[in-house]
Amino acid sequence: MPGLYLEPTGFLYGEIARQAIAAGEALPLAGSPRIAFSAARLQEGGPGGIRNIFLRASALPQLSEPRVKALLARIIEPRADIAGVPMDGPRIMGILNVTPDSFSDGGDHFATDAALAHAADLVRHGTDFIDVGGESTRPGSDPVDVEEEVRRILPVLEGLAAWQTPVSVDTRRPEVMRAVAGARLDIINDVSALTFSSDSLSTAAELCKPVVLMHAQGDPKTMQDAPSYADVVTEVFDWLEARIEAAVAAGIDRAKIVADPGIGFGKTLAHNAALLRSIALFHGLGVPLLVGTSRKRSLQRVAAAELPGDIDAASVAAALDAASRGVQIVRMHNVEATAQALAVWRWLNGSNP
C-alpha cells in the first residue's frame, strides 16, 4: 500500500542490543545481533498530508496492516553477504577514480601505476571494497564514450585480478560491464540504477554480479540545475523500491542488490539533509544500504571549506552518522580516517564482531 513508511529509531548497540532483543524490548536491524531498534516512526500519507505515529518496537509485530508487516519483515531480515563481505556491520567502499576530471581527485590516479598504488593504500588502510570508476559523474560533467571508459579502467582491473579485496566497477554502461567482466568485476555500481540503457537490466542479470542501484534525478550534466521534489525521502524510497522490483523481475537475485539514495545526485542541500536524517527508513527496502557523502559539495558548504579535499573530517562525520543508523556500506575517499573512526565507534558501542 503506497503512502506507508516505517523508519526504525532508538538504536541500541553491542551487548545492550542483545539484551534488549532477548527481553523483547527491541528488534534486530537487518538480522544483526549487534544493532537493534527500540522504536519506529510510522509515516502515513505523502507530500502535503503526512501523519507520524511513534511506536515501541515491541508493539510492531502486533500490527496487522499488510504493508506495515511487509516493511517490518524487510527491516529485520538478515542481509546476505555482498561479494563475500558480510553485511552485519558498517563496511567501507574505497573510491578509486581513474579519471582526469572527478570533483576531488581527478587526475590523481589516472595512470595505471598510480591507480594500483592507491588501491594498495586503500587495502592497507582497511577498505572492504575497491570501487573503480572511469567516468566522472560529478555535477556538470560530460559523458565519455564506451571505448574511452574501458581504456581507462581495464588495465587497472587487470592489475587487480588476483587481489582478494572485492572490486566494484562504477559504470552505467552495459557495454563496459561486459567488456571488463573477464578481467575483474565483483560488483556493478550503477548511478543510473540500470536505467541508462535498454540492455542494462539484462546485462546485469546475465553477469550474475551484485548490483548497487543508485537514485539520481536527471543526468550528471544537468542534475543540479533545479532539482525538485514534493517529498524527497518518500519519492526516493518509492523509486528505489520500484527499481529493485524491476531488477528482480529481470532475473537479478534480490539478495545481490544494494540500494543507494544518491546523495548529491539531483538534490539540493536541504534534500540531502532530509535523506540523511531519514536514512533508516530505507531499511524498509530489504536490501543493504550504501551511502556516499565523501567530499560532496553539500558537506563542503556546511563545513565552509574551500576545496573538496579539505572536508575529510566532515565526510567521516557523515559516515559515522550513517553507520549509527545501520547503513551497511559507506563509500569514501579517505579510507584510513574512516577505518579509524569506525574502529573507535565500534569499541565505544561494544559492537565489534
Side-chain angles (χ1 to χ4, degrees):
M1 175 182 176
L4 283 175
Y5 306 89
L6 192 64
E7 180 182 347
T9 62
F11 292 105
L12 306 169
Y13 312 96
E15 186 57 30
I16 293 175
R18 294 184 184 92
Q19 292 176 5
I21 293 169
E25 294 299 324
L27 295 170
L29 182 69
S32 174
R34 293 191 290 275
I35 180 168
F37 59 102
S38 59
R41 176 174 70 103
L42 178 62
Q43 179 177 310
E44 293 184 315
I50 294 175
R51 183 167 74 102
N52 292 312
I53 302 171
F54 296 92
L55 301 164
R56 292 180 182 273
S58 56
L60 294 173
Q62 281 71 54
L63 299 178
S64 59
E65 207 290 320
R67 171 67 172 174
V68 177
K69 290 175 71 70
L71 289 171
L72 180 61
R74 292 180 189 173
I75 290 169
I76 66 176
E77 66 187 8
R79 306 299 190 246
D81 294 357
I82 296 296
V85 178
M87 292 289 102
D88 56 354
R91 306 294 177 179
I92 303 171
M93 178 176 280
I95 298 169
L96 178 54
N97 288 320
V98 191
T99 59
D101 58 345
S102 291
F103 66 92
S104 78
D105 58 356
D108 289 355
H109 314 119
F110 194 42
T112 299
D113 289 348
L116 292 174
H118 186 60
D121 284 340
L122 294 176
V123 173
R124 179 167 57 88
H125 292 311
T127 196
D128 298 288
F129 307 96
I130 303 169
D131 190 45
V132 180
E135 179 189 36
S136 175
T137 51
R138 61 177 173 78
S141 60
D142 293 313
V144 299
D145 59 33
V146 170
E147 292 75 15
E148 175 61 16
E149 188 177 350
V150 172
R151 187 190 69 79
R152 292 176 180 180
I153 66 174
L154 187 57
V156 177
L157 297 176
E158 290 172 340
L160 296 173
W163 293 32
Q164 293 185 341
T165 305
V167 176
S168 165
V169 176
D170 185 353
T171 185
R172 51 185 177 159
R173 292 182 171 86
E175 300 92 339
V176 175
M177 299 172 197
R178 291 195 190 96
V180 304
R184 186 66 190 270
L185 174 65
D186 299 311
I187 302 169
I188 298 166
N189 183 9
D190 186 353
V191 298
S192 77
L194 301 175
T195 66
F196 184 75
S197 166
S198 59
D199 293 331
S200 295
L201 281 168
S202 60
T203 298
E206 174 189 332
L207 294 174
C208 294
K209 301 297 183 182
V211 296
V212 179
L213 304 178
M214 195 198 79
H215 174 276
Q217 187 182 85
D219 186 85
K221 182 70 175 178
T222 59
M223 64 186 178
Q224 290 303 112
D225 288 355
S228 176
Y229 304 85
D231 183 282
V232 66
V233 174
T234 58
E235 289 180 46
V236 172
F237 182 97
D238 291 345
W239 190 90
L240 285 171
E241 187 174 37
R243 291 310 301 160
I244 291 169
E245 294 307 318
V248 171
I252 298 171
D253 186 351
R254 188 184 296 270
K256 293 183 176 181
I257 297 174
V258 177
D260 178 355
I263 302 300
F265 281 77
K267 284 100 176 173
T268 65
L269 181 65
H271 294 148
N272 292 325
L275 287 167
L276 290 171
R277 291 185 190 118
S278 292
I279 195 66
L281 181 142
F282 290 85
H283 290 298
L285 294 170
V287 300
L289 302 180
L290 183 153
V291 166
T293 58
S294 186
R295 299 181 181 174
K296 290 293 177 76
R297 290 183 181 180
S298 292
L299 296 187
Q300 189 178 343
R301 288 178 59 189
V302 172
E306 183 176 351
L307 299 171
D310 295 336
I311 59 167
D312 281 351
S315 300
V316 171
L320 286 179
D321 187 73
S324 74
R325 300 169 196 256
V327 166
Q328 286 88 1
I329 305 172
V330 291
R331 184 176 179 273
M332 304 295 290
H333 292 86
N334 192 329
V335 168
E336 182 178 16
T338 306
Q340 290 178 356
L342 285 173
V344 173
W345 179 84
R346 291 187 182 101
W347 170 63
L348 291 173
N349 288 293
S351 59
N352 288 311

